[in-house]
Each structure stands twice: as C-alpha cells, then as structure tokens.
C-alpha cells in the first residue's frame, strides 16, 4: 500500500477530466481546468473531507467499493483502475459483480442521458451505476453484496422486490429473467457465481425451477415495461439495452412512447426527483 502515490495519482487523473466529460455543468468562474475535489467526491458518493484526505495521502486504506466508485468517477480505463487498486493495497476485483469496472465509453454515454432514466447493470442484473432519473424511477441500487445484489436473485427470493411492477406482469418478467439468466450463464462458461445463483434459486423457488427446466433462452434486449411509482402511478415505458462488447454489461434506459401519458409522467418525474413526499392524508 502506498497512500502517498495514491494521492498523487488521484490528483493527476482529476486534472485531466473536464466537467462536461462527466455530465457536470461548466461554470464561468473555474480556477482549474479539470474537476474540483468536491465534484469528484460528488460523483464517487464520498464526502469532500474524505476525498481530500485521500489526495493528501492520509487517512485509512480505502475500501474496494470506494476504489471502484473513484474509478468510475475519474473515468479510469482498465489499466488505470488496476493501478489504483494496487496503490491502495487491494486485490484487483473480478470482472463480474458489483465491483466490476465500467468502461469509460459506456459511462460517457450515461452522462449524456440526463433527461432519460438510465443505469448500467451486469448480465446478472447487478446495478453498477445509475443516473438521477433512474434512481427516481426504480429506486437506488441495494447496498448489498453477494447474490442479493442481483435483481434476478432477489426477484425469486424476496417477494417485496416485485412491487415495482404490476402484479399481472410478474409472470412475464419471471419468464424473461430466467431466459436471460440462462444466456448469461452460458456466456460466462463455468463461472462459479452464476452457477451458484442457479443452484440456490433452483432449491429455493419452485417457480424458478419450473421455468429453468423449460430450457428457454433469450437475451433481454428491449421490451415494453410498466412500472409502479408511488406518486405518478403506473408508468408505461419502452426499455432498451445497449451491450458492452463482451455482453457482460448493459446500459439500460427508459423512454416514453411518443404521444403517450408517460411523456408527461417522465417530465413530472424529473421535477419530483427522489424527494420524499408526505402520504396523501398528511398533505
């Protein structure tokens, strides 16, 4: 571990990125050409004080989760990400899971979808990063690790997960998720994580076991989805996926069909954001 070199490296990466490259507004009075410390901390979900200490080569050893968040905030490529982890004395994370590295090009596209709910997920439906409207639409990514980080796993193991969709659509989503999971398992070729997910769900969920035994396979590329929102009701949207070259990650984004009620609902979603509104009987 070399926290001093880590701080120098963070400073150098911060200096090379402009706010526009990460979807931040560029004000008229900037003293630096790159990002400010507060902007990096905002993107990484850390406090300004914590990030400042890292750049000064002080403080505690950063966690793998924080290093992954900094890698995304600073748009590091694979080699730079690995270097950051080595300087922090952490093992290089696996290619899959919630610590998986998101390619800068995919993040750059996400940055430009500021008026569209969008998020980057793995092929096991683990959320890696969300924009503001995605959080407002589907909620924040769960702060969990292991198999519970996967929406597919939670869909069959935790009934509360299904509340985001109308009940009459649940059977459809179950079928689509299992077919998509089968494609991901085959693509990963003997990957322990995906095989463990199938094994545990097969034993725990009769519904999953029945669907898995059908042998259906289909990558989930795009479809119409209805989502429950606590303030706006049911929102009927088009959901599309753009895939990384190896298929291990996808940029998922939602758009309103032209002329549909969802156009106005998304406009209101942008206004409401993630603010917590009082129940109707308390307003």
């Amino acid at each position: 571990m070399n926290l001093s070199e880590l701080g120098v490296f963070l400073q150098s990466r911060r200096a090379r990125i402009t706010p526009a490259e990460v979807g931040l507004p560029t004000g008229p009075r900037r003293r630096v050409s790159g990002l400010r410390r507060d902007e990096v901390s905002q993107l990484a979900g850390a406090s300004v004080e914590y990030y400042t200490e890292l750049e000064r080569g002080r403080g505690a050893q950063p966690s793998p989760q924080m290093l992954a968040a900094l890698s995304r905030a600073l748009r590091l490529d694979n080699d730079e990400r690995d270097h950051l982890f080595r300087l922090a004395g952490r093992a290089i994370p696996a290619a899959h899971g919630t610590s998986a590295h998101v390619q800068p090009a995919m993040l750059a596209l996400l940055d430009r979808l500021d008026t569209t709910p969008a998020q980057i997920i793995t092929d096991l439906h683990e959320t890696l990063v969300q924009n503001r409207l995605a959080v407002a639409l589907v909620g924040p990514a769960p702060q969990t690790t292991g198999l519970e980080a996967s929406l597919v796993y939670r869909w069959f193991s935790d009934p509360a997960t299904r509340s985001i969709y109308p009940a009459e659509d649940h059977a459809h989503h179950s079928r689509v998720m299992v077919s998509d999971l089968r494609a991901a398992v085959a693509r990963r070729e003997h990957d322990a994580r995906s095989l463990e997910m199938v094994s545990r769900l097969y034993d725990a969920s009769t519904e999953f076991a029945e669907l898995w035994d059908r042998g259906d396979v289909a990558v989930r590329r795009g479809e119409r989805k209805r989502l429950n929102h606590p303030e706006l009701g049911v929102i009927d949207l088009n959901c599309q996926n753009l895939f990384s070259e190896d298929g291990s990650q996808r940029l998922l984004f939602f758009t309103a069909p032209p002329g549909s009620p969802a156009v106005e609902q998304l406009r209101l979603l942008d206004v409401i954001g993630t603010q917590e509104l009082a129940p109707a009987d308390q307003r």
Side-chain angles (χ1 to χ4, degrees):
M1 180 173 63
N2 191 330
L3 292 182
S4 177
E5 285 297 321
L6 175 69
V8 172
F9 184 64
L10 288 173
Q11 291 178 52
S12 70
R13 299 306 88 185
R14 173 169 63 87
R16 68 173 184 166
I17 301 177
T18 65
E21 289 177 302
V22 294
L24 294 175
T26 302
R29 299 179 180 178
R30 294 188 65 88
R31 297 180 180 178
V32 295
S33 57
L35 294 178
R36 299 191 302 260
R37 286 173 174 169
D38 65 299
E39 291 169 333
V40 176
S41 64
Q42 174 189 340
L43 292 168
S47 69
V48 178
E49 293 77 12
Y50 175 81
Y51 179 74
T52 299
E53 288 297 290
L54 284 182
E55 280 205 0
R56 290 174 176 171
R58 304 172 186 171
Q61 180 186 30
S63 68
Q65 291 77 16
M66 177 52 62
L67 292 170
L70 288 170
S71 297
R72 294 165 189 162
L74 295 169
R75 303 307 190 253
L76 303 186
D77 62 25
N78 289 337
D79 293 335
E80 291 170 327
R81 189 283 308 265
D82 291 354
H83 184 61
L84 182 69
F85 271 75
R86 292 190 182 100
L87 289 175
R90 297 293 187 182
I92 304 303
H96 304 294
T98 52
S99 294
H101 187 55
V102 181
Q103 294 299 321
M106 190 171 282
L107 281 171
L109 183 55
L110 178 66
D111 291 335
R112 285 158 177 76
L113 296 176
D114 55 348
T115 61
T116 301
Q119 57 189 21
I120 298 173
I121 65 175
T122 72
D123 56 352
L124 295 184
H125 294 254
E126 301 153 316
T127 301
L128 300 177
V129 61
Q130 300 171 285
N131 67 10
R132 182 182 64 88
L133 282 179
V135 175
L137 179 64
V138 301
Q143 299 300 307
T144 56
T145 58
L147 297 181
E148 288 75 14
S150 165
L151 172 62
V152 178
Y153 186 82
R154 297 194 312 277
W155 181 264
F156 292 100
S157 63
D158 180 8
T161 300
R162 303 190 176 201
S163 63
I164 191 173
Y165 297 121
E168 55 269 30
D169 297 346
H170 290 178
H172 165 76
H173 289 298
S174 293
R175 291 192 301 272
V176 173
M177 285 186 183
V178 173
S179 297
D180 187 77
L181 177 61
R182 184 179 292 277
V185 171
R187 187 187 309 111
R188 287 175 173 235
E189 294 185 350
H190 311 297
D191 167 63
R193 182 180 179 81
S194 58
L195 292 176
E196 180 188 4
M197 179 181 295
V198 172
S199 176
R200 288 178 59 177
L201 286 178
Y202 195 92
D203 292 339
S205 169
T206 301
E207 180 190 20
F208 178 88
E210 291 176 350
L211 291 171
W212 187 261
D213 286 341
R214 293 184 185 181
D216 296 339
V217 56
V219 176
R220 195 173 199 173
R221 294 184 172 87
E223 62 178 331
R224 196 79 166 254
K225 283 186 178 182
R226 299 192 303 157
L227 296 101
N228 292 322
H229 188 274
E231 297 298 327
L232 302 177
V234 177
I235 309 178
D236 193 343
L237 298 168
N238 291 322
C239 177
Q240 298 295 326
N241 293 274
L242 296 178
F243 293 81
S244 61
E245 187 174 355
D246 62 359
S248 65
Q249 296 178 8
R250 59 189 73 173
L251 174 63
L252 182 154
F253 60 98
F254 298 90
T255 58
S260 72
V263 174
E264 178 64 12
Q265 286 174 305
L266 284 188
R267 189 192 68 78
L268 291 173
L269 182 72
D270 193 17
V271 175
I272 294 173
T274 57
Q275 62 181 308
E276 295 183 3
L277 301 179
D281 58 357
Q282 298 180 19
R283 294 178 197 160

